[in-house]
Amino acid sequence: SASTAPPPPPLPPPSAADAAVGTSASASTFSTSVAAATAAPKRLRVLLCGDLRGRLDLLHSALTQLMEKGYKVDCALAVGSCLPDGPGFSHYEDYLGEEPKTTLPVPVYFVDSMADVLIRQSQASGKPVRLGRNLIFLGACGATSIQGMRVAFLAGRYEATSYKDIWARGSGFFAEEEYGVGPHYTMNAIGEVKARSSRLSKDGQIDLLLTSEWPDAFWSTSVSRLASSPPEVLKVGAASPGVRELFFSLKPRYHACGVADLYRYRKAAQGTHNFTCTNVALAYARPKAEIEGQQARQWHHLLTFEISSGESSNGNPMDEALLPAGGIED
């Protein structure tokens, strides 16, 4: 059943290769990160993160602590809302620009539920947006290869009227803001993610789906049919039929989502849809002292990711990402 999530699996012990990294791991530069991405290892350690809301310092600390414990982390992937949602995040700007004051120790790729400016910029250029040396906004909607992982992604949020606005601005992937606050994707965006995913690899397999929101329904193994997402998720408007459509169409090995400020880890067969997926929902980033002993508020999860056959030959998004034009303030 999906009503009660099992505890997350324990971290595996560091490998010999991890131990060689130890505390000597330093912040990678843009050039060395790109070089590493061209020869993807057979296994990756990927840190999935929930809504950072500008707290890149917390992510930096979490990555550093893992490295000090002997874990080699290859990259981090963030969902929900990554950018600050208000004042009081002065250190956030330290990570931005060509020559940032501080560089994250590994590449961090993210989607964002509220970043209208970044969504518009990525749609106009057709490329990801590089905010800092190791900080990449993947784009509005699509699919790409990240160090060998085949990743489908969707930014923005669902809104019922906007979703049907297929004649929306520009490409028709995102509606005008007259329907509420924030960028709202349309059903055209869902179609674009599907189309790009099908072209990403020979076998059409997607390793990881990144969305800001939860699906509005899931396959319940206890009743062998679709069931609504948890009430606490629906109550805060953090679930989407568009995400459900992507989930069951793409059949990803993993799905990461945020927005609901709730942690869930669930690996389950998807019944008549004939695939098995590990769902990881993540909470808001908070200092460790604020969430001690609260599993439901866990905001990051370390995966050991095995690269399967049929990898994409596409380049890494860090290779083609552009610096934002005219700043990134929303």
Side-chain angles (χ1 to χ4, degrees):
S1 169
S3 57
T4 302
L11 288 178
S15 65
D18 289 332
V21 176
T23 57
S24 64
S26 60
S28 57
T29 64
F30 177 66
S31 59
T32 56
S33 298
V34 171
T38 61
K42 293 183 179 179
R43 288 190 175 188
L44 297 174
R45 280 234 170 92
V46 178
L47 189 68
L48 300 179
C49 309
D51 301 61
L52 292 169
R53 299 181 299 165
R55 294 304 305 267
L56 296 179
D57 57 324
L58 294 180
L59 174 57
H60 197 148
S61 177
L63 289 165
T64 300
Q65 289 175 26
L66 284 168
M67 290 179 174
E68 289 175 346
K69 292 177 180 179
Y71 293 97
K72 177 183 178 294
V73 181
D74 294 286
C75 65
L77 301 171
V79 295
S81 180
C82 182
L83 303 186
D85 58 1
F89 297 96
S90 58
H91 294 298
Y92 168 76
E93 295 184 357
D94 292 347
Y95 294 89
L96 305 182
E98 281 276 17
E99 298 294 335
K101 293 181 181 178
T102 308
T103 301
L104 291 157
V106 301
V108 176
Y109 306 95
F110 70 95
V111 294
D112 198 288
S113 62
M114 298 295 290
D116 188 63
V117 170
L118 291 183
I119 287 172
R120 282 189 273 113
Q121 288 180 350
S122 67
Q123 283 193 277
S125 67
K127 297 179 181 294
V129 180
R130 179 162 61 91
L131 278 69
R133 285 195 173 184
N134 269 343
L135 185 62
I136 308 291
F137 174 65
L138 284 172
C141 54
T144 190
S145 175
I146 298 178
Q147 299 188 27
M149 293 181 294
R150 296 159 297 186
V151 179
F153 57 89
L154 176 68
R157 297 189 67 165
Y158 171 80
E159 194 279 328
T161 303
S162 301
Y163 191 65
K164 301 174 184 177
D165 185 10
I166 60 174
W167 305 111
R169 66 188 183 198
S171 63
F173 297 152
F174 283 78
E176 300 293 345
E177 294 188 35
E178 61 184 287
Y179 300 119
V181 177
H184 298 129
Y185 50 79
T186 71
M187 60 179 65
N188 286 351
I190 304 302
E192 178 70 0
V193 177
K194 291 182 185 180
R196 293 200 179 196
S197 297
S198 68
R199 298 193 297 264
L200 187 61
S201 62
K202 294 178 181 178
D203 60 7
Q205 174 70 58
I206 288 297
D207 295 312
L208 177 63
L209 173 62
L210 296 178
T211 63
S212 293
E213 304 152 303
W214 293 47
D216 66 347
F218 63 95
W219 185 264
S220 170
T221 54
S222 62
V223 296
S224 298
R225 59 176 173 80
L226 284 178
S228 295
S229 286
E232 57 266 46
V233 176
L234 299 175
K235 183 179 180 180
V236 296
S240 163
V243 173
R244 167 169 43 99
E245 170 70 17
L246 281 180
F247 178 77
F248 287 113
S249 295
L250 300 182
K251 302 183 179 183
R253 295 167 60 196
Y254 296 88
H255 176 215
C257 58
V259 174
D261 194 20
L262 183 66
Y263 173 81
R264 289 284 178 91
Y265 176 95
R266 178 180 184 255
K267 181 177 182 178
Q270 301 300 312
T272 57
H273 297 275
N274 298 319
F275 73 105
T276 297
C277 181
T278 299
N279 296 85
V280 185
L282 297 142
Y284 294 171
R286 295 180 177 87
K288 188 174 181 180
E290 293 184 16
I291 57 174
E292 198 73 45
Q294 300 182 57
Q295 184 181 319
R297 292 293 178 261
Q298 183 171 325
W299 63 271
H300 58 75
H301 185 104
L302 185 64
L303 288 178
T304 299
F305 205 101
E306 293 190 1
I307 302 300
S308 60
S309 60
E311 294 177 7
S312 166
S313 60
N314 290 14
N316 192 279
M318 187 172 285
D319 295 336
E320 58 175 347
L322 302 176
L323 283 171
I328 60 168
E329 296 299 325
D330 272 3

